[in-house]
Amino acid sequence: MDKKLDTFPVSARNKVRLMRQRGSYDKKLVYSILDSALLCNVGYVIDGQPYVTPTAFWREQNHLYWHGSSASRALIAQSKGIPVCLTVSHVDGLVIARSGFHSSVNYRSVMAFGQASLVEDEDHKRRAMDVYVDRFVPGRTSANRAATDKELQATKLLSMDIEEASAKVRVGMPVDDDEDYALPVWAGVVNFKTLVAGISPDPKNLPDVSVPPGIAVYAEG
Amino acid sequence: MDKKLDTFPVSARNKVRLMRQRGSYDKKLVYSILDSALLCNVGYVIDGQPYVTPTAFWREQNHLYWHGSSASRALIAQSKGIPVCLTVSHVDGLVIARSGFHSSVNYRSVMAFGQASLVEDEDHKRRAMDVYVDRFVPGRTSANRAATDKELQATKLLSMDIEEASAKVRVGMPVDDDEDYALPVWAGVVNFKTLVAGISPDPKNLPDVSVPPGIAVYAEG
Ligand SMILES: Cc1cc2nc3c(=O)[nH]c(=O)nc-3n(C[C@H](O)[C@H](O)[C@H](O)COP(=O)(O)OP(=O)(O)OC[C@H]3O[C@@H](n4cnc5c(N)ncnc54)[C@H](O)[C@@H]3O)c2cc1C
Ligand SMILES: Cc1cc2nc3c(=O)[nH]c(=O)nc-3n(C[C@H](O)[C@H](O)[C@H](O)COP(=O)(O)OP(=O)(O)OC[C@H]3O[C@@H](n4cnc5c(N)ncnc54)[C@H](O)[C@@H]3O)c2cc1C
Ligand code: HEM
Ligand code: HEM
């Protein structure tokens, strides 16, 4: 395959300059880091003031989607085609080195750049929201009552084609100065993991409803 | 105590407009959400382009600190007193409602606004970095070799006095439309938790180093 199709173009905006050996423009890597996150942080500017709004999001091919209220200040601003930076990060561990200086964090992150636009086509909007709902609980859309037209009207759905993106990943042990390996001090990595810590059924569930199979994917641990 | 001292001032910038019952300007709440995070997302603007950079950070009183390379594009830009938005979020659960529309996320988040400035005083810088290192592993600074002057010169430390901030928190069960509670469909919350998933000692540790007590706080689970 054409290498160009496998990687994002690189410009002054997304070129990883620091610790560049940790950087990548590989689409597969960028997509996998995006897909393993529920939450992103969307950066945008209103009257010169930057805002970073935490938002649930999802991806289809090279498009990122996020949604909210039709009255949202964030979404109204973003739907006007202003530049947006959408960032996703996973904190995988705390890297405890033999010096403060080499202490670090194991992480996987993506910064994606583009301009958002409003999904106005009703069918596209409904389909995209259904895909989103089914992403968390497969089959949920058909179990739920369908979204009403009024609900869809109250909803703004934004879509952003990723123009440029970069991934940055740190893995593994501390990288200490050669002479510091002789120090009698413990070094290593404290690994973090985000787990399902239990499922709380709504006390208002009808007595005879059963936990749907789609919830089974959230088995504890 | 004077109520004004307990809450951040509210302006058009940080006034929570949507789902405002979930918003708060209470300093205690804002600080507690900040303090339970290792990672923030810093938003800033260079030539009209917003960037959101994930960064480790910490708090002392009303000041937020973050650090990196003296050559960092992000830190060089931010140290010029441009407006910054620093956002922290915790994803606590997935809220599975009886309709797609009322599906949600349980979360705690903070958006903090201000202007960053460089910590240039050597003593302040060294002390702040030591506090930071000790934050993760108490007593670590005295166990490690001290930071060298060269290392401190290679480091940019930024500090931001929080001018305005807001917290937003969602907790609890789905809030469904009255008539939807009659639907025979399971609803509830899938709770998430970030845990220590194991400690990996550096294979290059000297044979006789022992795990320091400070690491004990990271007991698994
Ligand atoms: C969990 C976590 C904690 C971190 N903690 C710190 C910290 O405490 N101090 C610190 O200096 N850095 C930290 N980083 C790294 C930080 O995100 C930046 O990579 C680093 O600060 C350099 O920023 P810069 O703008 O100077 O880099 P540059 O290399 O000049 O940035 C240029 C471009 O490179 C790309 N890029 C840069 N960083 C990233 C990234 N993280 N992910 C994807 N693309 C990227 C972007 O396209 C960016 O526009 C952390 C990252 C993560 C995910
Ligand atoms: C994990 C997570 C997932 C989320 N997913 C979604 C989603 O999918 N769709 C959605 O619409 N919203 C989501 N939110 C809420 C989102 O962050 C915004 O609150 C919401 O989108 C309204 O944004 P706005 O700019 O229109 O609000 P406004 O109320 O107009 O924002 C004005 C000011 O209120 C304050 N504020 C707004 N939101 C927050 C916040 N989250 N934390 C602290 N202060 C805040 C800020 O100071 C902001 O400048 C999520 C939040 C979190 C933490
Ligand atoms: C799994 C699917 C979904 C998740 C996880 C989700 C999550 C969220 C979250 C976290 C918010 C922010 C609430 C807040 O500000 O505290 C939100 C707002 C909103 N969502 Fe969703 N959502 C989902 C599906 C849908 C669907 C299918 C629709 C429309 C048909 C929809 C319409 C809206 C609207 C209109 C708001 C704004 C509410 C307001 O501020 O008044 N959502 N969603
Ligand atoms: C627990 C303490 C610390 C943690 C968790 C930490 C974390 C990090 C992280 C995650 C990075 C980014 C690396 C990357 O881009 O991949 C970084 C960079 C950096 N840190 Fe720290 N750090 C800590 C302490 C210190 C101290 C004490 C100093 C200085 C004395 C320091 C100086 C630096 C410098 C100079 C960089 C930039 C490296 C480069 O890009 O060349 N750090 N730190």
Side-chain angles (χ1 to χ4, degrees):
Chain A
M1 218 209 266
D2 188 349
K3 173 123 190 352
K4 273 207 171 144
L5 297 177
D6 294 342
T7 58
F8 287 103
V10 181
S11 76
R13 185 166 61 169
N14 72 325
K15 188 184 170 67
V16 180
R17 292 165 48 253
L18 291 180
M19 294 284 174
R20 73 186 66 168
Q21 73 284 6
R22 297 180 183 160
S24 167
Y25 312 95
D26 182 65
K27 286 188 181 175
K28 264 203 196 130
L29 178 64
V30 165
Y31 292 162
S32 78
I33 293 172
L34 291 171
D35 292 349
S36 48
L38 178 158
L39 171 71
C40 71
N41 279 275
V42 183
Y44 54 98
V45 187
I46 302 178
D47 293 336
Q49 169 70 47
Y51 292 91
V52 178
T53 305
T55 312
F57 81 105
W58 65 106
R59 182 184 72 85
E60 287 182 32
Q61 284 93 44
N62 199 50
H63 292 275
L64 300 174
Y65 287 97
W66 60 100
H67 84 290
S69 165
S70 287
S72 160
R73 183 175 72 179
L75 302 185
I76 290 171
Q78 291 155 21
S79 65
K80 291 183 178 147
I82 56 175
V84 160
C85 173
L86 187 151
T87 295
V88 162
S89 332
H90 304 275
V91 179
D92 295 326
L94 187 59
V95 179
I96 299 175
R98 293 159 183 86
S99 63
F101 187 72
H102 288 297
S103 305
S104 194
V105 175
N106 278 343
Y107 63 80
R108 287 163 292 144
S109 57
V110 161
M111 293 168 66
F113 301 94
Q115 297 179 7
S117 62
L118 213 52
V119 175
E120 293 184 275
D121 177 77
E122 287 293 310
D123 286 344
H124 182 179
K125 198 165 160 182
R126 182 179 285 276
R127 190 195 51 76
M129 294 311 294
D130 286 352
V131 166
Y132 183 47
V133 169
D134 282 340
R135 185 188 170 193
F136 290 110
V137 187
R140 187 75 187 174
T141 298
S142 49
N144 281 344
R145 71 153 173 74
T148 64
D149 289 346
K150 209 178 139 206
E151 286 175 344
L152 284 174
Q153 276 153 27
T155 307
K156 259 197 170 46
L157 174 62
L158 294 195
S159 158
M160 180 175 101
D161 186 43
I162 307 176
E163 284 169 14
E164 292 170 6
S166 52
K168 206 173 158 186
V169 176
R170 191 205 186 284
V171 290
M173 288 294 147
V175 179
D176 273 302
D177 292 339
D178 285 346
E179 59 274 25
D180 289 346
Y181 284 95
L183 294 173
V185 44
W186 186 92
V189 175
V190 177
N191 303 291
F192 300 125
K193 209 167 190 164
T194 297
L195 298 176
V196 171
I199 293 174
S200 312
D202 190 338
K204 294 185 184 163
N205 278 340
L206 297 182
D208 51 349
V209 298
S210 54
V211 180
I215 294 286
V217 298
Y218 294 105
E220 205 160 329
Chain B
M1 217 208 264
D2 187 350
K3 171 121 191 349
K4 273 207 171 143
L5 297 176
D6 294 341
T7 58
F8 287 103
V10 181
S11 76
R13 186 166 59 169
N14 71 325
K15 188 180 170 70
V16 180
R17 292 167 47 253
L18 292 181
M19 295 283 174
R20 72 186 65 168
Q21 73 284 5
R22 297 179 184 162
S24 166
Y25 312 96
D26 182 67
K27 286 188 182 174
K28 265 203 198 130
L29 179 64
V30 166
Y31 292 162
S32 78
I33 293 172
L34 291 171
D35 292 350
S36 48
L38 178 159
L39 172 71
C40 72
N41 279 276
V42 183
Y44 55 98
V45 187
I46 302 178
D47 294 336
Q49 168 70 47
Y51 292 90
V52 178
T53 305
T55 312
F57 81 106
W58 65 106
R59 181 184 72 86
E60 288 183 33
Q61 284 94 43
N62 198 50
H63 292 275
L64 300 174
Y65 287 98
W66 61 101
H67 85 289
S69 166
S70 288
S72 160
R73 183 175 74 179
L75 301 185
I76 291 170
Q78 291 155 20
S79 65
K80 291 182 179 150
I82 55 174
V84 160
C85 174
L86 187 151
T87 294
V88 163
S89 333
H90 303 275
V91 179
D92 294 327
L94 187 59
V95 179
I96 298 175
R98 294 160 182 86
S99 64
F101 188 72
H102 288 297
S103 306
S104 196
V105 175
N106 279 342
Y107 63 80
R108 288 163 292 144
S109 57
V110 162
M111 291 168 66
F113 300 96
Q115 297 178 10
S117 63
L118 212 52
V119 175
E120 293 184 276
D121 178 77
E122 286 293 308
D123 287 344
H124 182 179
K125 197 165 160 182
R126 183 180 287 275
R127 188 194 53 76
M129 294 311 294
D130 286 352
V131 166
Y132 183 47
V133 169
D134 283 340
R135 184 187 171 195
F136 290 110
V137 187
R140 187 75 187 175
T141 298
S142 50
N144 281 344
R145 70 155 173 75
T148 64
D149 289 346
K150 210 179 137 205
E151 286 175 344
L152 283 174
Q153 277 154 27
T155 307
K156 259 199 170 45
L157 173 63
L158 294 195
S159 159
M160 181 175 101
D161 187 42
I162 307 176
E163 283 170 15
E164 293 170 6
S166 51
K168 207 173 160 188
V169 177
R170 191 203 188 284
V171 290
M173 288 295 147
V175 180
D176 273 301
D177 292 340
D178 284 346
E179 59 274 25
D180 289 346
Y181 285 95
L183 294 174
V185 45
W186 186 93
V189 175
V190 177
N191 303 291
F192 300 124
K193 209 169 190 162
T194 297
L195 298 175
V196 171
I199 295 175
S200 312
D202 190 339
K204 294 185 184 165
N205 278 341
L206 297 181
D208 51 349
V209 298
S210 54
V211 180
I215 294 285
V217 298
Y218 294 105
E220 206 161 329

